[in-house]
Amino acid sequence: MAHPADSAISDWTFVRRVLIVLAIGALALALWVLSDLLLLIFAAVLCALALRALTAPLINATGLNQAVALALVVLLIVALCAGLVLQFGSRLSDQISYLMQNVPQALQSLSHQLDLGSVSKEVGGSAIGALAARALTIGSSIVGAVAGFVLVIVGGIYFAASPGLYRRGLIALVPERWRAAVTSTIEDSNFALTRWLRAQLIAMALVGVMTGLGMWLAGVPSPLALGLIAAATEFIPIVGPIVGAIPALLLASTQGWDLTLWALAVAVVVQQLENNVIMPFVVGKVVELPAAVGLFATVAMGLLFGPLGLLLGYPLAIVGDVAVRRLYVREALGKPVDIPAERERHANAEDAAE
């Protein structure tokens, strides 16, 4: 016969397990509901990494305080943006207006000529079609986009001003036995993301300039706006260059197929230079994420979370790759694994020692 105390303990164990399951489910639901906010926080972290990457050379050259150097960098960025707006704002506004008026007409005309109506219906029902439809809604909510942008910038400045405070708070949530591994994972992710982000910013600038010049030489209308679009979409690896080339091709198609072929040639040449010269030279071997993994991670994040997930899919895949290598393969499985950021740091330390 079971003792009443044993029965009470058994009931309490069952209730506790049910409560744990419910708590895990509630946490998962909360994370899903707050997914957009969490992605914005990650975007703010990327912004902070970019600001710190720009601040570091200034500190090394002048010995300024971190806060003062960060304030100077922010002021310089604001002044640069204001100068560009004053210099090219009117011309860029006219070209963007021209694009907004003519690209939809070109798309409709091309769809009619090639009888793409039935094809678009079939593609629209697929997962990739859903991703494309959601990606086209990036600019549908101007107020939301502006609010999110401001939140990312302000959050990035706060993170860049005192990164140690937020890092210690995050690590404090981790059990003691995992803190060393999690700390190393954060450092490796920070290193890899900084190098990748630096490479992306350089690639965006070069691709934007080359695309603008190439479209101008080819005679495609609105080359300045097309260069800006190419630079912005370059931030999304693999998928972004394809998306960025579409407005130029559609706009060129309104002027005839000869100009369309020239625009296509410009887009292909620019992307070949970006893939084979710019990115390998700048990023080196620090981020060794297989191309297929980066592609499907970007698409998956876009399907799950829409345009914001598509935008941040690749850097999230970089963090995931570092976490899997260090926390799962090395710590959980106990197997040796090469971590590019760790190897690069050791090489830099050896070079500095010499």
Side-chain angles (χ1 to χ4, degrees):
M1 182 176 179
H3 194 276
D6 294 337
S7 178
I9 293 174
S10 178
D11 291 342
W12 168 243
T13 301
F14 174 75
V15 171
R16 185 177 63 179
R17 290 176 178 174
V18 171
L19 291 175
I20 291 174
V21 171
L22 291 176
I24 293 175
L27 178 61
L29 179 60
L31 292 176
W32 177 259
V33 172
L34 297 174
S35 58
D36 285 347
L37 177 60
L38 295 176
L39 289 174
L40 288 176
I41 292 174
F42 182 73
V45 171
L46 290 179
C47 178
L49 291 177
L51 290 174
R52 289 185 63 81
L54 294 173
T55 303
L58 183 60
I59 294 176
N60 294 334
T62 63
L64 290 173
N65 178 273
Q66 171 69 37
V68 176
L70 178 62
L72 286 176
V73 167
V74 172
L75 290 176
L76 287 174
I77 293 174
V78 172
L80 178 62
C81 292
L84 291 175
V85 169
L86 291 175
Q87 183 69 25
F88 302 105
S90 177
R91 188 184 312 170
L92 182 60
S93 177
D94 293 340
Q95 294 189 11
I96 291 177
S97 298
Y98 183 85
L99 282 177
M100 296 295 291
Q101 293 174 2
N102 289 273
V103 168
Q105 296 177 6
L107 180 60
Q108 184 177 4
S109 175
L110 184 64
S111 176
H112 178 71
Q113 292 177 17
L114 301 180
D115 192 20
L116 297 179
S118 59
V119 176
S120 62
K121 292 181 180 178
E122 296 296 329
V123 173
S126 66
I128 300 300
L131 173 59
R134 296 180 73 180
L136 292 175
T137 64
I138 289 178
S140 61
S141 177
I142 298 178
V143 175
V146 171
F149 179 76
V150 172
L151 182 63
V152 168
I153 297 299
V154 175
I157 293 174
Y158 282 139
F159 287 150
S162 54
L165 174 65
Y166 301 101
R167 182 182 302 177
R168 289 191 298 270
L170 178 62
I171 294 174
L173 301 175
V174 179
E176 184 69 32
R177 65 181 182 276
W178 284 95
R179 287 184 183 176
V182 171
T183 300
S184 299
T185 302
I186 292 175
E187 292 176 354
D188 291 342
S189 299
N190 179 21
F191 188 84
L193 284 175
T194 300
R195 290 293 297 269
W196 173 81
L197 188 60
R198 184 182 304 160
Q200 283 300 122
L201 294 176
I202 294 174
M204 288 169 64
L206 293 176
V207 167
V209 170
M210 290 189 298
T211 300
L213 287 175
M215 296 301 173
W216 176 69
L217 292 174
V220 180
S222 302
L224 183 61
L226 292 175
L228 182 63
I229 292 173
T233 55
E234 181 66 23
F235 186 81
I236 308 174
I238 304 171
V239 179
I242 300 174
V243 176
I246 292 175
L249 296 177
L250 289 174
L251 201 59
S253 68
T254 64
Q255 309 294 320
W257 287 107
D258 290 342
L259 188 59
T260 304
L261 292 177
W262 277 110
L264 179 61
V266 171
V268 170
V269 169
V270 169
Q271 291 311 313
Q272 287 300 312
L273 290 173
E274 187 267 349
N275 291 330
N276 298 304
V277 178
I278 298 173
M279 291 301 289
F281 177 77
V282 175
V283 78
K285 295 294 184 180
V286 174
V287 180
E288 295 179 355
L289 188 66
V293 175
L295 171 63
F296 287 111
T298 302
V299 174
M301 290 297 295
L303 291 173
L304 284 173
F305 305 112
L308 194 56
L310 184 67
L311 184 67
L312 300 174
Y314 198 88
L316 283 170
I318 293 175
V319 175
D321 177 67
V322 173
V324 167
R325 289 177 186 241
R326 182 175 281 279
L327 296 179
Y328 181 70
V329 178
R330 179 179 293 181
E331 299 295 335
L333 300 182
K335 296 181 179 180
V337 62
D338 178 51
I339 300 175
E342 187 178 62
R343 184 182 65 240
E344 184 73 11
R345 279 203 311 271
H346 289 165
N348 292 340
E350 292 177 357
D351 292 341
E354 294 177 357

